[in-house]
Amino acid sequence: MENVHLVPEEEEDDLYTGYNDYNPTFDSEDLHNDVAFQQAVRTSHGRRPPMTAKYPGTAIGGRPIGTAYGSRIPVGTAMGRPMTGAVQDGAARPMTAVRAAGYSSAIARGSVFDPLGQSKGPAPPLETKNEDTPEEKIKILEKKVNDLIEESCLAHARGDLQLSLEKAKEAGRKERALVRQREQTGTADHINLDLTYSVLFNLANQYASNDMYTEALNTYQVIVKNKMFNNAGRLKVNMANIYFKQKNYTKAIKFYRMALDQISNAHNAMRIKIMQNIGVVFIHMGQYSDAITSFEYIMSENPNIKTGFNLILCYYAIGDRERMKKAFQKLICVPLGIDDDDKYIPPNDDPHANMVIEAIKNDKLHQMERERKALAEKYIMTSAKLIAPAIESSFAAGFDWCVDMVKGSQYVELANDLEINKAITYLRQRDFKQAVETLKMFEKKDSRVKSAAATNLSFLYFLEKDFDQADRYAELAMSADRYNPAALVNKGNTVFVKEDHEKAAEFYKEALRNDSSCTEALYNLGLTYKRLGRLEEALDCFLKLHAILRNSAQVMYQLANLYEMLEDPHQAIEWLMQLTSVTPTDAQVLAKLGDLYDNEGDKSQAFQYYYESYRYFPSNISVIEWLGAYYIDTQFCEKAIQYFERATLIQPTQVKWQLMVASCYRRSGNYQKALETYKDIHRKFPENVECLRFLVRLCTDMGLKEVQDYATKLKKVEKMKEIREQRVRSGRDSSARGRREGSAGSDVDLLSGDVQLSASGSAGFKGSSSSPINTPPLRASDSGQSNHGTSAKGERLSVKLKTLPGSNEPYEASTQQEIDASYVDPLGPQMQRPKTAARKRTEEDEFADEELGDDLLPE
């Protein structure tokens, strides 16, 4: 206790003792007046070397000191501080010891201004890297792996999927070699996990792109199961996508939900997309209630157009009217997040702003905004057309409700389009009256809608062959919007039916100038040139159209027909062959191919295509006729019988087919069957002279007693025929005398109607019946009928009908005259024998081709 001293209470420590004490050293207010401090600032006075003499070369030893000027002077003071007053050679010393690089107020003797040190010569060469070291080898290998990954991605972007997969596999092999090399050098701790992840991820993507789903899933499993990879759980979305492509919807749902569990709420956009995928999978599974749950959650958290549309589809599938209406209202309220188009309208007084607006008017951002708006309008229009018949008692009431909802939304321009769609729906229901009334409501609205409605009205009246009304509304559509190509096409069609082809061509050209992709205008222009006889220009139009519509059967047929008219059968055959690849079961196209091959003298190919045409359409008389004549020509009469019997079923009132059947029996040696056939023909056509003549001959040769009865009937029929012919001759003589007595003008009037035969065989005056240009486009089977009718032009391969032989001519002979002498058709020669030379086309042929093959495409 002797060493313990207690502090009295009055001497307790004060926590704030010395707080207000002030050290004058830290007083900065008087530094401006401190001479020593100012001297130290201006010179190197404050940077004196330490006062010691134990180090060699100091001031005591007289070691020269280098000043800032670069010269060396001896220390002149005991304190070791160099002289500051002057420098040798009279050069003024700088104010401080630190001098600006390369600058001095006075140039030293013999010195040159060289701030960059260029006078020292080039720098020594860099040391070469030693690539033999393990670290350098590893770096080079890593660079190769990265380059391969980049090449794989670029190949995938170009669409070369096979090359991208090969590069990805090569990158995987080199990455494994890199890992082995690191393990051998003992640097396994420095393995680049990011590089391994990139290699595996790219390889899995390339497997999936090449539809190698099993390999892709295995690669993704390697990544997901490796705990060293961060955020690898997100790749389960890719695995779910693969299961969805494989239609394994249960596993797809499972992996989507696993990915959803591993993504935090901070990544809300990613979670929304995964839930949208889950809803789509439920739709494919038919579980609409579960899909509705997912879509409703998305619409409440982050609504978007696609989800709203899918929600409407689900409500439509379950038939919930009220919820369909609510979902449609939510859909039209989804914000698009795009600017108003008014900002792209340039002001007139600011040239700089005009330049900026012109620059951004069609940039990538504005294009994306237009695409997003167009997509939203497409979904809204589709939704309205879908739910309109379901939400109300009638589709008209449903459309009216949708129009009212759209008018109160940001898509107010769509209301008029919905009204036009309402009219189109009436058209699909064949309610033309309601469609016309709906479209007439737009006559007093703005120009764009008025033009669209008038175009549709013109089209309707054109189909109804009310060409005056069609022309009126086409004019109305053109006055509302002169740049409307559909209105110009309809106007050209109305002029075309009035046979003013030159003016029609001008309208079609104007439509093409306004819209070069208007295929209807280009097609109709080609038909117009064809009517005008400008075949080369028509060919040019259809070739351009073929470049746009690669698989159009109508275009291919027109090209083939034009080449045939240009007397280039090989090109015509080539285009028809392409047409058969588009419509392989078109019987008329196959028959046309057979006709062209027959003209070229290739009977085997002609037979093949005629036979194929007969298989697909066994009721074409011209094809049946050709096949029967072909078998007769090749001495296979038994096979010809079935074709002529088919023709008898199709045209039972035509005696020629039954006579051909009997002739085939007779030529094949089956006289009993031939006799029965002739007797059956005589019962149906008792006044047919040919049938009676062959009955007489057959009964005579077979020694039958009925020969006298048939001979008596034959004499009566021949006598009646002579009397009939005399009456016809007397009538001709009297009419000829009357014409000679008449005026010359009446002859001209009588002969002014240039009679021609149409493709169907009916005679009519030229120009009296217009081409059916007001009908929808013909199929290839319709457009091919122009060259296969029973018109005056006839067929290339058929049986020639000649004068009857004498009664003593043997009918058993196998000569062609005996075949042809089977009968004389009262309607004139309908069939001809096969010919090897192509028959020259007549005006009747061209007229018939144009009558059925040149249909305009109304807009």
Side-chain angles (χ1 to χ4, degrees):
M1 295 298 292
E2 295 177 355
N3 299 324
V4 176
H5 299 280
L6 298 176
V7 179
E9 294 180 1
E10 62 273 7
E11 295 182 4
E12 291 182 358
D13 292 338
D14 187 2
L15 295 177
Y16 301 99
T17 300
Y19 182 78
N20 293 324
D21 295 343
Y22 181 71
N23 190 347
T25 305
F26 302 108
D27 185 7
S28 61
E29 295 180 358
D30 295 334
L31 290 178
H32 183 71
N33 300 322
D34 191 344
V35 178
F37 179 77
Q38 293 298 329
Q39 182 68 18
V41 171
R42 293 190 181 95
T43 67
S44 60
H45 177 74
R47 300 177 182 176
R48 292 174 294 180
M51 294 181 295
T52 176
K54 64 181 181 179
Y55 297 104
T58 60
I60 298 176
R63 181 174 180 262
I65 303 298
T67 64
Y69 192 72
S71 61
R72 293 184 178 273
I73 58 174
V75 176
T77 63
M79 295 298 291
R81 182 178 180 273
M83 292 186 299
T84 62
V87 189
Q88 62 181 10
D89 297 331
R93 185 184 184 281
M95 294 180 63
T96 65
V98 180
R99 177 174 57 123
Y103 174 77
S104 174
S105 58
I107 301 175
R109 185 179 300 170
S111 63
V112 180
F113 181 72
D114 187 17
L116 300 178
Q118 297 177 356
S119 61
K120 297 179 182 180
L126 298 175
E127 295 182 2
T128 58
K129 290 184 179 181
N130 187 6
E131 297 182 357
D132 293 335
T133 61
E135 284 299 325
E136 287 300 325
K137 290 181 179 179
I138 288 173
K139 288 182 181 179
I140 293 173
L141 198 55
E142 283 185 353
K143 187 177 184 304
K144 288 183 179 178
V145 173
N146 282 315
D147 291 342
L148 286 171
I149 294 174
E150 185 176 354
E151 291 174 6
S152 175
C153 295
L154 291 175
H156 184 273
R158 293 193 304 267
D160 194 348
L161 302 181
Q162 187 64 32
L163 179 62
S164 65
L165 179 59
E166 292 175 0
K167 294 291 184 182
K169 289 181 178 180
E170 187 177 354
R173 289 191 294 268
K174 288 192 178 297
E175 194 274 333
R176 288 192 293 272
L178 174 63
V179 172
R180 287 194 299 269
Q181 193 166 349
R182 281 197 177 275
E183 291 175 351
Q184 291 173 2
T185 57
T187 58
D189 296 338
H190 298 84
I191 293 176
N192 193 345
L193 291 177
D194 292 338
L195 185 62
T196 305
Y197 181 88
S198 300
V199 169
L200 292 174
F201 182 53
N202 180 58
L203 181 60
N205 276 336
Q206 303 310 328
Y207 275 136
S209 300
N210 285 272
D211 296 336
M212 301 172 66
Y213 297 132
T214 305
E215 291 83 355
L217 289 172
N218 293 336
T219 309
Y220 279 127
Q221 285 287 359
V222 172
I223 303 175
V224 171
K225 290 182 178 179
N226 194 334
K227 301 300 182 183
M228 300 179 68
F229 295 140
N230 295 326
N231 299 323
R234 294 189 177 188
L235 297 183
K236 291 183 179 178
V237 175
N238 294 15
M239 299 175 70
N241 291 340
I242 293 175
Y243 284 123
F244 178 78
K245 291 178 182 178
Q246 292 179 333
K247 297 185 179 181
N248 192 349
Y249 301 129
T250 305
K251 277 198 172 183
I253 292 288
K254 175 184 176 182
F255 275 85
Y256 278 134
R257 286 177 171 169
M258 290 170 65
L260 195 64
D261 293 339
Q262 296 185 10
I263 296 176
S264 63
N265 293 328
H267 303 88
N268 189 42
M270 177 67 74
R271 292 177 61 87
I272 290 295
K273 290 180 180 179
I274 294 175
M275 292 197 68
Q276 188 170 352
N277 287 1
I278 292 174
V280 171
V281 176
F282 276 130
I283 289 178
H284 281 270
M285 296 174 67
Q287 300 179 13
Y288 300 111
S289 300
D290 296 329
I292 288 171
T293 303
S294 297
F295 293 142
E296 285 180 343
Y297 173 79
I298 297 172
M299 292 299 289
S300 62
E301 292 293 326
N302 188 10
N304 60 79
I305 292 292
K306 287 185 178 180
T307 303
F309 179 71
N310 289 336
L311 185 60
I312 291 176
L313 291 181
C314 292
Y315 287 144
Y316 180 82
I318 64 176
D320 194 332
R321 292 186 176 184
E322 295 301 323
R323 295 171 82 179
M324 271 190 274
K325 290 183 177 181
K326 292 180 181 178
F328 186 77
Q329 291 172 342
K330 289 181 181 179
L331 179 65
I332 60 179
C333 293
V334 172
L336 293 180
I338 61 177
D339 294 328
D340 193 4
D341 289 338
D342 294 340
K343 82 169 187 177
Y344 296 104
I345 300 176
N348 298 325
D349 54 349
D350 191 352
H352 179 69
N354 292 345
M355 291 177 62
V356 173
I357 290 174
E358 285 295 328
I360 68 173
K361 185 179 292 184
N362 200 31
D363 61 353
K364 296 292 184 181
L365 180 60
H366 194 202
Q367 291 177 9
M368 185 195 73
E369 290 177 349
R370 287 200 298 263
E371 290 174 1
R372 184 180 295 181
K373 186 175 181 181
L375 183 65
E377 291 177 353
K378 174 186 174 183
Y379 283 143
I380 291 172
M381 291 288 292
T382 306
S383 301
K385 289 188 287 186
L386 178 68
I387 68 174
I391 57 177
E392 299 292 345
S393 57
S394 65
F395 90 94
F399 260 108
D400 293 338
W401 182 88
C402 293
V403 169
D404 294 338
M405 291 296 104
V406 170
K407 284 181 178 178
S409 68
Q410 56 183 327
Y411 304 99
V412 64
E413 299 98 355
L414 290 181
N416 294 325
D417 295 336
L418 282 174
E419 289 282 359
I420 292 178
N421 272 282
K422 179 181 176 183
I424 294 174
T425 308
Y426 278 125
L427 284 179
R428 290 197 179 101
Q429 296 179 353
R430 304 291 181 180
D431 193 348
F432 295 100
K433 183 178 179 182
Q434 287 292 335
V436 170
E437 290 179 359
T438 305
L439 291 172
K440 284 183 178 179
M441 296 167 54
F442 293 95
E443 291 187 19
K444 297 182 180 180
K445 294 194 176 182
D446 63 330
S447 60
R448 184 184 69 85
V449 180
K450 185 198 301 185
S451 178
T455 300
N456 290 336
L457 283 170
S458 176
F459 168 73
L460 288 175
Y461 284 120
F462 193 84
L463 291 182
E464 293 178 350
K465 298 184 180 181
D466 190 350
F467 300 127
D468 294 333
Q469 287 290 341
D471 184 68
R472 172 175 171 269
Y473 280 103
E475 288 284 353
L476 181 62
M478 290 168 55
S479 62
D481 183 6
R482 183 68 186 184
Y483 299 100
N484 184 356
L488 292 167
V489 169
N490 287 343
K491 177 63 178 177
N493 290 352
T494 58
V495 175
F496 188 94
V497 298
K498 297 176 183 177
E499 302 295 330
D500 192 353
H501 298 137
E502 292 288 351
K503 192 173 181 180
E506 292 300 323
F507 282 112
Y508 297 143
K509 289 178 183 177
E510 185 178 355
L512 287 171
R513 285 194 294 269
N514 294 337
D515 182 8
S516 59
S517 63
C518 183
T519 56
E520 293 84 1
L522 191 57
Y523 187 91
N524 292 350
L525 181 62
L527 293 183
T528 306
Y529 284 144
K530 188 177 176 183
R531 280 293 181 93
L532 292 171
R534 295 151 66 176
L535 300 182
E536 293 293 342
E537 297 179 51
L539 186 65
D540 184 56
C541 290
F542 285 114
L543 286 173
K544 290 179 181 177
L545 192 59
H546 177 69
I548 302 172
L549 307 174
R550 304 296 298 181
N551 295 323
S552 173
Q554 289 88 356
V555 175
M556 291 182 187
Y557 171 76
Q558 292 295 341
L559 285 168
N561 185 250
L562 283 169
Y563 276 117
E564 185 185 6
M565 295 173 69
L566 291 169
E567 298 181 355
D568 190 350
H570 296 290
Q571 284 288 341
I573 290 173
E574 183 178 344
W575 280 105
L576 287 176
M577 291 295 290
Q578 292 188 35
L579 180 55
T580 56
S581 66
V582 177
T583 56
T585 60
D586 195 313
Q588 293 294 344
V589 174
L590 294 169
K592 184 64 180 175
L593 270 171
D595 180 61
L596 290 174
Y597 276 116
D598 184 25
N599 294 340
E600 293 297 305
D602 193 344
K603 296 296 187 295
S604 61
Q605 284 285 4
F607 172 74
Q608 177 185 349
Y609 285 108
Y610 271 121
Y611 183 74
E612 288 294 318
S613 175
Y614 175 77
R615 284 201 315 116
Y616 290 119
F617 185 57
S619 299
N620 191 334
I621 289 294
S622 60
V623 174
I624 294 172
E625 189 176 16
W626 193 95
L627 289 171
Y630 174 81
Y631 280 118
I632 291 177
D633 185 60
T634 55
Q635 306 298 323
F636 290 100
C637 299
E638 297 86 352
K639 292 185 177 180
I641 292 174
Q642 60 174 330
Y643 294 103
F644 292 125
E645 286 179 345
R646 168 75 66 172
T648 303
L649 294 175
I650 297 171
Q651 295 181 348
T653 59
Q654 293 287 336
V655 67
K656 59 181 179 180
W657 308 121
Q658 301 181 42
L659 289 172
M660 286 301 300
V661 172
S663 176
C664 290
Y665 281 127
R666 179 173 52 81
R667 282 184 50 80
S668 61
N670 194 346
Y671 303 122
Q672 186 62 37
K673 189 70 176 176
L675 179 63
E676 294 176 1
T677 305
Y678 279 124
K679 287 182 178 180
D680 185 59
I681 295 171
H682 177 64
R683 283 194 297 270
K684 294 178 181 178
F685 304 95
E687 295 183 358
N688 188 273
V689 176
E690 293 304 309
C691 180
L692 288 171
R693 285 179 179 175
F694 278 101
L695 280 172
V696 171
R697 291 169 62 186
L698 279 171
C699 292
T700 302
D701 293 340
M702 297 175 68
L704 300 178
K705 298 178 180 180
E706 303 166 278
V707 62
Q708 192 62 37
D709 296 336
Y710 291 125
T712 305
K713 291 180 180 180
L714 177 61
K715 289 180 181 180
K716 290 182 180 179
V717 171
E718 287 178 342
K719 189 174 182 179
M720 291 175 60
K721 185 177 179 181
E722 290 177 1
I723 295 172
R724 198 179 298 120
E725 289 177 354
Q726 289 177 0
R727 290 176 180 174
V728 170
R729 282 196 297 269
S730 63
R732 288 176 181 173
D733 294 340
S734 61
S735 61
R737 287 194 298 270
R739 283 196 299 271
R740 284 193 297 271
E741 294 172 359
S743 64
S746 63
D747 293 339
V748 175
D749 294 338
L750 180 63
L751 298 176
S752 61
D754 185 10
V755 179
Q756 296 191 4
L757 291 178
S758 67
S760 61
S762 59
F765 290 99
K766 185 176 183 180
S768 62
S769 61
S770 62
S771 172
I773 60 178
N774 56 332
T775 58
L778 289 178
R779 302 189 307 274
S781 60
D782 297 330
S783 60
Q785 290 179 359
S786 59
N787 294 317
H788 299 286
T790 57
S791 62
K793 63 181 180 177
E795 288 294 336
R796 310 296 188 269
L797 180 57
S798 55
V799 180
K800 281 186 177 179
L801 304 179
K802 300 183 178 179
T803 58
L804 288 175
S807 59
N808 58 350
E809 197 171 48
Y811 55 81
E812 293 86 354
S814 59
T815 60
Q816 184 60 39
Q817 289 80 1
E818 182 57 27
I819 303 172
D820 300 333
S822 57
Y823 70 97
V824 175
D825 183 42
L827 299 179
Q830 294 288 327
M831 299 185 292
Q832 296 178 353
R833 278 186 43 77
K835 295 182 179 180
T836 57
R839 182 174 61 84
K840 183 178 179 182
R841 291 178 61 85
T842 63
E843 292 181 358
E844 287 82 3
D845 296 343
E846 294 174 358
F847 182 77
D849 287 347
E850 293 172 354
E851 283 294 315
L852 288 181
D854 300 345
D855 288 341
L856 294 181
L857 297 179
E859 187 66 26

